[in-house]
Structures are given as structure tokens and as C-alpha cells.
Amino acid sequence: MSDLRDVTDDLRSEAEELDRTVVDLDADGWATPTAVPGWTVGHQIAHLAALYRLIGLAASDPVAFTALTTQPRFDLEARLRASLSGYLLEPPGALFPRWHTERENTAAVLAALPPDRTVPWLGGPLEASALAGAAMTELFRHDQDIADALGLSRKRTDRVRHAIEFGLLPDSARYRPTGWTPPGPGLHVFLTAPSGALWDHGPTESPQKIVGAAEDFCLLVTGHGAQAVDLLASGPEARRWLADAQGRSAETP
């Protein structure tokens, strides 16, 4: 993963982009339906705020986080859905500052960790930079849902690399409940970043290749595979993997 400070700085910058999208929404804007059945823009922001609160707890108080998440029948999504009511009971004018507070607190806690610190998380311990990458991945996922619902086009930057790096971790599927399957060790992923930089992962000599735009690979990682059209696969294993990833949607919160 990237340097922890780099990830947390970019996490703040990307969150500010989302802030600019929702800060001036009226009540109808917050009530706009998104691709997740039954979820509005407000639900998306509330879910992000609740998730960031949990990430902040893992980073700031590992003992409390472990005690919470090892309770019998603990279920992340059930807990996050239950947490939504506390955020959604407030008017939209109050939801935005609560989201802003949660994400600022989480970014600050992550940035203050020693670079080599390991943090507990749901699928097992993560390096602090990887947990920050997970936070960035979820931010991209919900931001894309909101942009799609509001009819906005996102111009991504090289900050997408944090979600991509997290998604390429061999065990990343353990830490996310969205059905993501990382490319196998035999696949070579070669991507062109928004800046024009070239990023690659996996064995360069492999005949199994995924090639294309980094923004589109970020869409795959965040469950928006149907929108990831600027990717090509060569080799039967790569073609099977890409078809499966493109078939996944963001309907799971």
C-alpha cells in the first residue's frame, strides 16, 4: 500500500469533493433515490458516516473495537443499518456536519498512527495504510452512487490508486462484504492513471492480462462493474475474471 500519510491526505481531499456535491442539496436532493434499493442520497452519507465512525474506533481504541466486533452474532451491515436511524432522524442540515465530523476524526486518527501499526478490522488485522485504503474504497463507492443518482460526471484523479491498491490485496475480499474477488496471482493488471502514469501489478510475463483505465478498475473495485467499459482482458482466465467483475453491481450497501 501507499504511504499512510499519502493515503490520509488523499482521503481528506476526496472527501472534500463529496462535500462539495452534497453541502448545498435541499431536502429533495437528499431524498434522491440511488441505485441501492430503498436508499437515498441521505442514506449513502449516513452509511459512510457510520462506517467511518467504526474505522475510527478500530484505529483509536483497538480494545473497544475488538470487544464490539467479537460479540456473538455481530454483523457489520446489520450494525451499520441500525446506526443509520441515528443519522437520518436529523434533518439534512444536521446530517452533513455529522458526516464531516466523522470523516475528519477518522482521517486524523489514521494519520496519527505509526506507519508500521497494525489495526484490527473485521476480516483480520490490517496495516494502518490498508485500513485507510479501505476507507478510501468505501468513499469512492458511495460517492459514485451519489454522483450517478444526481446525474453528475466524476473526473477522477490519481487518488483512485488507493482503492485499486486495496482491491488488489490478496485478502481484500475478507474485509469487504460486497462480493469483490481480487485478481488471482497469475493475472497481470496494467492500468493507465488519470495523469497518464502507468501502473502494473502481477507477473508481467503472464499471458493473462487486464489492461485499461485506472478509473474503470476503480469502478470494478467499488462494485460499479457495469460502468467499467474501458478495460480489456486477454487470456481465458483474465476474460472470465473481468466478465464476473463487470457483472457485479453496487446494489449492496
Side-chain angles (χ1 to χ4, degrees), residues 11-24:
L11 183 63
R12 286 190 172 99
S13 296
E14 201 63 39
E16 289 168 0
E17 292 288 337
L18 176 56
D19 286 357
R20 284 189 280 272
T21 298
V22 300
V23 65
D24 293 324

Side-chain angles (χ1 to χ4, degrees), residues 27-110:
D28 288 342
W30 283 94
T32 303
T34 67
V36 180
W39 275 35
T40 65
V41 168
H43 284 85
Q44 296 279 348
I45 293 294
H47 189 268
L48 259 182
L51 180 61
Y52 271 48
R53 186 179 183 88
L54 193 61
I55 292 172
L57 179 65
S60 63
D61 194 340
V63 174
F65 175 85
T66 301
L68 171 67
T69 57
T70 55
Q71 293 176 357
R73 298 184 298 278
F74 176 83
D75 180 88
L76 170 64
E77 287 305 320
R79 181 173 183 83
L80 291 177
R81 288 190 181 95
S83 298
L84 293 184
S85 59
Y87 292 95
L88 293 171
L89 285 174
E90 300 188 57
L95 176 55
F96 175 79
R98 288 197 67 183
W99 145 244
H100 189 274
T101 297
E102 299 292 5
R103 59 96 165 169
E104 277 297 306
N105 288 345
T106 297
V109 168
L110 287 168

Side-chain angles (χ1 to χ4, degrees), residues 111-189:
L113 291 174
D116 59 349
R117 175 67 56 85
T118 298
V119 182
W121 192 238
L122 302 166
L126 282 171
E127 290 185 1
S129 60
L131 183 58
M136 180 72 92
T137 302
E138 294 304 319
L139 179 58
F140 277 122
R141 181 157 67 102
H142 290 281
D143 175 77
Q144 190 65 49
D145 281 342
I146 291 169
D148 290 343
L150 298 176
L152 303 175
S153 178
R154 280 287 186 255
K155 184 174 178 59
R156 298 299 184 190
T157 71
D158 282 12
R159 293 193 290 266
V160 298
R161 76 184 186 278
H162 303 305
I164 292 170
E165 288 177 353
F166 179 75
L168 289 171
L169 291 176
D171 290 336
S172 60
R174 295 172 53 204
Y175 307 104
R176 298 186 62 222
T178 55
W180 167 252
T181 300
L187 266 66
H188 177 218
V189 178

Side-chain angles (χ1 to χ4, degrees), residues 35 144-145 148 215-216 219-220 223-230 246 248 250:
Q144 190 65 49
D145 281 342
D148 290 343
E215 301 102 306
D216 283 54
L219 289 170
L220 287 185
H224 298 87
Q227 300 177 50
V229 297
D230 193 10
Q246 287 178 320
R248 299 186 186 279

